[in-house]
Amino acid sequence: MSEPEKEITIYDIAKKLNISAATVSRGLKDHPGVNKNTKKKITDAAHEMGYRSNAFASNLRKKSSNIIGVIVPRLNSSFMSDVIAGMEQVVNEANYNLIISQSLETVKKEVSNARAMFNNRVDGLLVSLAYDTKDIEHFKPFINRGIPVIFFDRIFEHAEYPTIFIDNYKAAYEVTTHLIEQGCKKIVHLTGNQLRNVYAERFKGYKQALADHQLAFDEDLVLINSLSSADGADAAKQILNMHVRPDAVFAANDSCAIGCMLEMKKQGIKIPADIAFAGFNNDPMCCVIEPNLTTVNYKGYEMGGVAARVLIGNLTNQLNTKTTHSIILRSELIIRESSVRNKR
Amino acid sequence: MSEPEKEITIYDIAKKLNISAATVSRGLKDHPGVNKNTKKKITDAAHEMGYRSNAFASNLRKKSSNIIGVIVPRLNSSFMSDVIAGMEQVVNEANYNLIISQSLETVKKEVSNARAMFNNRVDGLLVSLAYDTKDIEHFKPFINRGIPVIFFDRIFEHAEYPTIFIDNYKAAYEVTTHLIEQGCKKIVHLTGNQLRNVYAERFKGYKQALADHQLAFDEDLVLINSLSSADGADAAKQILNMHVRPDAVFAANDSCAIGCMLEMKKQGIKIPADIAFAGFNNDPMCCVIEPNLTTVNYKGYEMGGVAARVLIGNLTNQLNTKTTHSIILRSELIIRESSVRNKR
């Protein structure tokens, strides 16, 4: 590999244009005292010569990196890619950059990602928790140094950490009520680790809707798994072996609902006539499975944007994380053929 | 916001443990001259006190950031999330971190992402090109400074940039040959911008397979679009309006194939009896659509790992990008019900 060129400085640009380094510096900062033509000459020369704003040295001086860390369970959902696009939009406008990493749903990798982010001196952290995270000790070093950490979607309730999420309780209440209104009386709930707010709240909403419609809660109808498509297929087998067959399945995510539907269909079960289905997330797959899946639409782009705005507001002292503690976003029930049994 | 604590230094750790700062420094670097117990005391104290290895200052000294930039079209595919997981595995082991950004398929955002990466002084860049990128001038500043840029999947042929990709020509040749062997004679090809190697090569493979089986190439059977699911639905309408109805569709990605299948099914077309289908990528959706979609399996995790390994080998001078120019990975045809017409 050839030796890299010497780093270009404002002095090199000044020399080339035969103006003062102070003028170059002001021109690069778009200072009003520098005339337009000169500004253009300066920025053109800077670009042409490969000048890099001395971000590193200035970061060191002001103890800020202009980097925001993001830790998510996985990147492979259209929801999460929308969240990240929403974050990028906001942070780029504010001249920050994102470092993104995946915990791959394990607390072990989440801890090591947090450590790397800390050592990289991120200015703030946006986190959606892994499946099995039990405590948030690994984020304590950030709080100790005054680096804000914001939880979104999969949150942890704690006074020091602002949170952005949807009303999972209400959304699940609406899904369950819809199934009851379609005449379903024995509704299975497929859910995930109850450590995670998103699953615990959906479970509560399901339970409350049953109670409000005088339907008995039956613990045997609640199946807890990792909510993968394969888990859905396993659940289908369990459901078909139940003594009295359930008439609906409400899964806490779409992948699991779809895995379950595919297996049921293989066994000759008619959806929604024999068993109605509802999921959660509004993944594009909901419109591929037949019948199309009833679900809850979640605005990922908006959630990412709001989380980033709270963080940046905090970094620029426009927002105080102590006063802006929780932001709850809207979601909406989308009814499709998988659950419609009462055709009026 | 409360004032952040003073940054912890090795001197603070030394004072607390009543040992020399030099010992602390050696202990933190796992120097063989420091005894095990002392090392443990040092790392425990460092962790407890919130010490951050002085990455920033040392980056400035050695002119390296230990950050690798990644620019991808979009994160929302299971292929891309596998690619990134493969990269993370390799870079984390080598003590690097990833900064990831999405071009959202536009050259405009790709250019601005590249600029941000350059200013953030990444040590290297891994890029899969946007849909409409026509030249790679925006990566020139990296090359000029000796910062390696490696293209993966959607590459650009240029002596200065190593590339990692699959044999798209061969894969498409195999798909087309399989359709021909199923008795298909009039095969539509849905493809994307021919600026992108992945689409241009698949098109070539399709054409060559027709030629090798004495089937005439018909330009009207090649439909170029953005390969979204909606584009697939539009293509279905065009196909059904063709004077003589085609008997197969080979789409250059699965989303487009599936969008096309859904629309065909709505119009009462039988798949594969009336029209056989094949896609590309092996997205999980292939096993949700009915009938399940024949496709090409692409090893994202492996591709990400190899790209990262080439980059890091180059940074650590173990590999020369000038000698390791192209790495071609294997892919495999996966035959499912959407294309099987000859049941033996």
Side-chain angles (χ1 to χ4, degrees), chain A residues 1-8 47-57 59-60 63-67 74-78 81-82 84-85 88-89 92 97-104 109 112-113 115-122 141 144-148 258 262 265 283-285 287-290 292 314-315 317 320-322, chain B residues 1-8 47-57 59-60 63-67 74-78 81-82 84-85 88-89 92 97-104 109 112-113 115-122 141 144-148 258 262 265 283-285 287-290 292 314-315 317 320-322:
Chain A
M1 214 175 97
S2 63
E3 200 55 34
E5 284 173 39
K6 189 180 142 293
E7 189 76 35
I8 300 297
H47 185 54
E48 191 188 302
M49 296 167 76
Y51 171 77
R52 305 193 284 190
S53 65
N54 208 344
F56 253 64
N59 287 341
L60 200 62
K63 300 240 175 205
S64 123
S65 61
N66 276 40
I67 294 176
R74 282 188 193 278
L75 291 167
N76 71 338
S77 65
S78 83
S81 112
D82 282 353
I84 290 183
E88 278 186 329
Q89 172 76 26
N92 293 349
N97 283 97
L98 292 184
I99 298 192
I100 304 165
S101 68
Q102 311 184 75
S103 64
L104 300 175
K109 188 138 193 295
S112 93
N113 290 351
R115 186 76 61 96
M117 298 275 182
F118 187 72
N119 285 328
N120 269 299
R121 305 190 174 210
V122 294
N144 288 346
R145 295 212 69 83
I147 300 166
I258 289 170
L262 289 171
K265 288 174 67 172
D283 189 280
M285 248 191 255
C287 292
V288 174
I289 183 79
E290 294 177 54
N292 287 187
N314 181 254
L315 292 173
N317 286 317
N320 189 321
T321 52
K322 298 273 158 61
Chain B
M1 214 175 96
S2 62
E3 201 53 35
E5 283 172 39
K6 190 181 142 292
E7 190 74 37
I8 300 297
H47 185 54
E48 193 187 304
M49 296 166 77
Y51 171 76
R52 305 194 284 190
S53 65
N54 208 344
F56 254 63
N59 287 344
L60 202 62
K63 302 240 175 204
S64 123
S65 61
N66 275 41
I67 294 176
R74 282 189 192 276
L75 291 167
N76 71 339
S77 66
S78 84
S81 112
D82 283 352
I84 290 184
E88 278 186 328
Q89 172 77 27
N92 293 348
N97 284 97
L98 292 184
I99 298 192
I100 305 165
S101 68
Q102 310 184 75
S103 65
L104 299 176
K109 188 139 194 295
S112 93
N113 291 350
R115 187 76 61 96
M117 299 275 182
F118 187 73
N119 285 327
N120 269 301
R121 306 191 173 209
V122 294
N144 289 345
R145 295 213 68 81
I147 301 166
I258 289 171
L262 290 171
K265 287 175 69 173
D283 188 280
M285 249 190 256
C287 293
V288 175
I289 185 78
E290 294 176 52
N292 287 187
N314 181 254
L315 292 174
N317 286 316
N320 189 323
T321 52
K322 298 272 159 61

Side-chain angles (χ1 to χ4, degrees), chain A residues 197-256:
Chain A
N197 65 301
V198 293
Y199 306 126
E201 290 295 314
R202 289 170 203 175
F203 183 21
K204 275 191 218 159
Y206 156 80
K207 226 168 148 177
Q208 191 59 45
L210 295 181
D212 289 354
H213 293 85
Q214 290 77 47
L215 289 174
F217 168 69
D218 177 354
E219 212 169 338
D220 294 343
L221 295 181
V222 179
L223 306 180
I224 294 181
N225 56 45
S226 300
L227 292 173
S228 70
S229 174
D231 289 324
D234 287 344
K237 288 169 199 154
Q238 285 181 65
I239 293 167
L240 295 178
N241 280 331
M242 287 180 179
H243 188 62
V244 180
R245 185 177 295 164
D247 50 17
V249 174
F250 164 33
N253 81 13
D254 293 329
S255 306
C256 186

Side-chain angles (χ1 to χ4, degrees), chain B residues 136-338:
Chain B
I136 52 170
E137 273 302 299
H138 44 304
F139 300 115
K140 202 83 207 308
F142 294 86
I143 302 301
N144 289 345
R145 295 213 68 81
I147 301 166
V149 177
I150 293 177
F151 292 124
F152 65 92
D153 192 36
R154 292 191 186 176
I155 63 164
F156 197 97
E157 279 291 350
H158 189 293
E160 300 271 10
Y161 303 81
T163 50
I164 324 287
F165 53 99
I166 61 162
D167 191 338
N168 288 284
Y169 170 86
K170 181 165 161 267
Y173 185 93
E174 284 173 5
V175 171
T176 311
T177 301
H178 160 70
L179 292 170
I180 296 168
E181 285 169 358
Q182 297 298 313
C184 303
K185 291 188 159 52
K186 206 173 155 65
I187 304 171
V188 169
H189 184 40
L190 304 181
T191 184
N193 195 328
Q194 297 292 305
L195 282 171
R196 292 285 70 77
N197 65 300
V198 292
Y199 306 127
E201 290 295 314
R202 289 170 203 175
F203 183 21
K204 275 191 218 159
Y206 157 81
K207 227 168 145 177
Q208 191 58 47
L210 295 181
D212 289 354
H213 293 85
Q214 290 77 48
L215 289 175
F217 168 69
D218 177 353
E219 212 170 337
D220 295 342
L221 295 181
V222 178
L223 305 179
I224 295 181
N225 57 43
S226 300
L227 293 173
S228 70
S229 173
D231 289 324
D234 287 345
K237 288 169 199 153
Q238 286 181 63
I239 293 167
L240 295 178
N241 279 330
M242 288 180 179
H243 188 63
V244 180
R245 184 174 297 164
D247 50 16
V249 174
F250 164 33
N253 80 14
D254 294 327
S255 306
C256 186
I258 289 171
C260 190
M261 286 171 80
L262 290 171
E263 180 63 29
M264 293 250 176
K265 287 175 69 173
K266 218 184 273 174
Q267 306 295 328
I269 303 296
K270 300 256 174 309
I271 301 168
D274 298 338
I275 302 191
F277 267 86
F280 211 105
N281 286 354
N282 199 23
D283 188 280
M285 249 190 256
C286 295
C287 293
V288 175
I289 185 78
E290 294 176 52
N292 287 187
L293 184 60
T294 289
T295 190
V296 174
N297 190 34
Y298 222 151
K299 289 178 187 121
Y301 191 88
E302 191 186 343
M303 184 176 279
V306 169
R309 230 169 276 128
V310 170
L311 183 60
I312 285 175
N314 181 254
L315 292 174
T316 55
N317 286 316
Q318 292 161 340
L319 257 180
N320 189 323
T321 52
K322 298 272 159 61
T323 53
T324 311
H325 188 64
S326 299
I327 296 180
I328 300 177
L329 302 176
R330 274 181 210 291
S331 62
E332 55 174 335
L333 175 64
I334 297 187
I335 298 171
R336 300 203 179 99
E337 303 95 81
S338 70

